[in-house]
């Protein structure tokens, strides 16, 4: 406006043409405000409405059918040679490709099954909707015996990102590293170099932190922006205050201490998602020594059987088959589900299983074993007498364009309950009411749970607290369904095989219920919403919770451990530099290498792993 005033005051004021121009430009600025149409708002409104509508009818795929024609091609075309071939542009792969391509002498090929990120995936609050789209691989677990009993066909969901950025493109953007002792344990398990003191610099390296956290624990000037989503929800202070009443102070959970409660530190920049594609790879993608190919399924790592050396990969692109050769290394960063699948398809895995499937064994390693997750109980919803005021979508988009508001938020607050040795045993996650109907139907709950439970939840009055088991004792497994790379792998979660895991989760549930009895929550009359299952047990008895947990629990989508790092190849797949035992020129770098899981969320640790190994690789070949 000021500019136009200046124009009007100018000495050209009298010429009719200028007068007309001035009036016109004033109108151009004012008019859209009068008819209330801001092109940017309209754009995002269209993006959100179109994509949310698609979710309704989306059917999860059953296999990799989009690559089926290519898999039947008989000719394998030569794609040339590279120093490094990285499989998967996810959290780890995007960071590796960015760091390795800093060395101009390295020629790098990065192969990604999915396509690019899109405008919808940059909106943090849409993370749940992304699971019902083609940027999720769309995995379901095998029908389960001890868990997921209340899910359709007893199958839990196990979403995985299928796009540049991988799972960091569909995740809930919480930045939670875990406890120093988690990493000290990796070191103690026989993995020198992975103690907290040694990995902390790599956490700091990636970070551009806007969080006013504990000094020495946060990086500035890195590629990856970390900040709080703002403003806090209306009930955030109730959550903090209730914790305080129980002796859990507000703190920086990525700092000195972890047992306490806090607003969650998130991967956003100006309100938009900071996937590893956006934060890292976008800087490297134009480099001439890096070739990024999307919509490409790697189906095999080519291994010389005599010399046990990785030579290259076979992949499908545009209905054709190609072979690329690796001069220095093949690096598998396909994630904790797909990396074991690809290794097994290539002859690296448990002898009996591969022979049973009809795959020639090259290395007998415990690939796919030791699957760890973070089991999560989503059944604690509370009715309040506080009704949240939900802004219109237009208003929400306006805030989003200013970098704040509900569209820029996914997880409001996290807190940790102490377990043995002061390592947290339970995390509880505060999900306040949003005022817009929640996407909770994506739990895969069966019809009964949907009708009797989900239907009761009111998004303007009810909040959830998710209870997470951080260190499960039960282990699952990834196996192959067949030797056909078009088939999905089999994911057997096997949660709660060990009763101890259920018992710890019950402690967490009881703690959270106690939390909601604190004054700060009683002020809004927080009351547990009835869970109408397991009626044969006395309500809220131990056996009731045991039953409810086995029916309703899902996971945080944190699979790891399936290509574990360790000193002994009877129980581990890679050594402490993430080199596959018994095979030259082959590394696995992703969440699968974690030998034990962390008291946090897996994205930041996975990125730390990629940062650290990038330095190891650079030092090796310099
Ligand atoms: C819905 C959801 C919510 C989550 N929320 C959080 C959170 O809030 N905070 C947090 O810290 N963590 C969260 N996580 C977990 C975290 O995002 C993952 O642990 C992390 O991204 C894993 O990184 P990765 O590199 O191991 O695998 P990924 O990021 O999954 O990368 C693997 C990549 O390889 C590609 N690929 C796989 N197979 C092939 C093949 N054969 N050929 C070519 N390409 C292939 C995939 O398409 C993918 O891009 C969440 C995960 C999900 C799914
Ligand atoms: C495979 O090829 C057939 C015949 O050309 C075509 O009709 C079909 O759509 C293709 N399938 C895929 C998944 O591309
Ligand atoms: C949800 O709660 C609000 C506030 O009490 C009420 O106005 C609304 O009708 C409720 N919605 C449903 C679907 O029950
Ligand atoms: C508190 O919640 C209970 C259970 O929903 C309800 O019966 C009661 O009327 C509420 N009290 C107030 C003061 O809102
Ligand atoms: C909500 O319920 C509490 C009692 O639990 C009561 O003290 C408070 O006044 C109620 N608030 C409203 C807005 O009704
Ligand atoms: C690895 O573990 C196996 C089984 O526990 C044991 O027999 C073997 O000696 C170990 N090897 C090394 C090198 O420690």
């Amino acid at each position: 406006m000021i500019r136009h005033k200046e124009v009007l005051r100018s000495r050209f004021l009298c010429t009719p043409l200028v007068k007309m121009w001035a009036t016109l430009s004033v109108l151009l600025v004012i008019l859209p405000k009068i008819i209330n149409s801001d092109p940017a708002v309209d754009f995002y409104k269209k993006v959100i409405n179109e994509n949310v509508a698609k979710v309704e009818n989306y059917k999860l795929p059953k296999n990799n059918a989009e690559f089926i024609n290519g898999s039947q091609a008989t000719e394998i075309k030569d794609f040339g040679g590279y120093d490094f071939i990285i499989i998967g542009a996810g959290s780890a792969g995007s960071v590796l490709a960015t760091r390795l391509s800093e060395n101009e002498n390295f020629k790098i090929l990065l192969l990604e099954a999915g396509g690019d990120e899109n405008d919808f995936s940059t909106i943090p609050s849409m993370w749940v909707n992304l699971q019902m789209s083609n940027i999720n691989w769309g995995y379901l677990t095998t029908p389960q015996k001890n868990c997921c009993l209340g899910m359709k066909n007893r199958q839990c969901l196990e979403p995985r990102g299928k796009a540049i950025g991988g799972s960091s493109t569909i995740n809930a953007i919480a930045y939670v590293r875990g406890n120093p002792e988690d990493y000290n344990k990796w070191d103690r398990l026989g993995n020198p170099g992975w103690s907290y003191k040694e990995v902390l610099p790599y956490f700091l390296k990636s970070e551009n932190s806007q969080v006013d956290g504990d000094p020495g624990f946060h990086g500035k000037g890195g590629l990856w922006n970390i900040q709080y989503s703002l403003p806090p929800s209306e009930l955030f202070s109730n959550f903090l205050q209730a914790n305080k009443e129980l002796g859990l102070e507000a703190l920086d959970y990525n700092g000195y201490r972890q047992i306490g409660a806090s607003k969650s530190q998130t991967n956003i920049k100006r309100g938009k998602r900071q996937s590893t594609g956006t934060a890292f790879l976008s800087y490297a993608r134009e480099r001439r020594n890096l070739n990024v190919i999307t919509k490409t399924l790697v189906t095999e790592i080519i291994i010389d059987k005599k010399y046990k050396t990785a030579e290259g990969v076979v992949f499908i692109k545009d209905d054709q088959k190609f072979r690329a050769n690796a001069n220095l290394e093949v690096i598998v960063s396909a994630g904790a589900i797909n990396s074991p699948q690809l290794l097994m398809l290539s002859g690296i895995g448990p002898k009996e299983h591969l022979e049973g499937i009809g795959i020639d064994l090259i290395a007998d390693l415990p690939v796919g074993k030791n699957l760890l997750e973070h089991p999560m109980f989503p059944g604690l919803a509370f009715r309040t007498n506080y009704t949240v005021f939900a802004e219109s979508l237009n208003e929400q988009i306006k805030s989003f364009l200013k970098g704040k508001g509900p569209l820029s938020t996914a997880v409001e607050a996290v807190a940790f309950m102490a377990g043995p040795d002061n390592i947290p045993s339970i995390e509880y996650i505060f999900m306040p009411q949003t005022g817009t109907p929640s996407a909770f139907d994506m739990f895969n709950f069966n019809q009964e749970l949907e009708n009797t439970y989900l239907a009761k939840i009111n998004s303007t009055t009810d909040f959830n607290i998710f209870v997470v088991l951080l260190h499960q004792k039960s282990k699952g497994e990834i196996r192959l369904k067949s030797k056909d790379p078009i088939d999905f792998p089999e994911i057997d979660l096997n949660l709660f095989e060990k009763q101890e895991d259920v018992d710890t989760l019950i402690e967490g549930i009881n703690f959270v219920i106690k939390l909601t009895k604190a004054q700060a929550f009683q002020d809004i009359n927080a009351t547990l919403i009835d869970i109408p299952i397991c009626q044969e047990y006395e309500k809220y008895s131990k056996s009731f919770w045991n039953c409810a947990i086995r029916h309703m629990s899902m996971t945080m989508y944190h699979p790891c451990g399936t290509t574990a790092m360790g000193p002994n190849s009877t129980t581990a797949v890679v050594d402490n530099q993430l080199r596959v035992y018994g095979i030259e020129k082959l590394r696995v770098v992703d969440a699968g290498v974690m030998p034990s899981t962390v008291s946090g969320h897996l994205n930041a640790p996975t990125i730390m792993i990629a940062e650290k190994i990038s330095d190891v690789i650079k030092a090796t070949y310099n």
Side-chain angles (χ1 to χ4, degrees), residues 385 522-526:
N385 62 7
Q522 281 315 301
D523 286 348
I524 50 168
N525 200 29

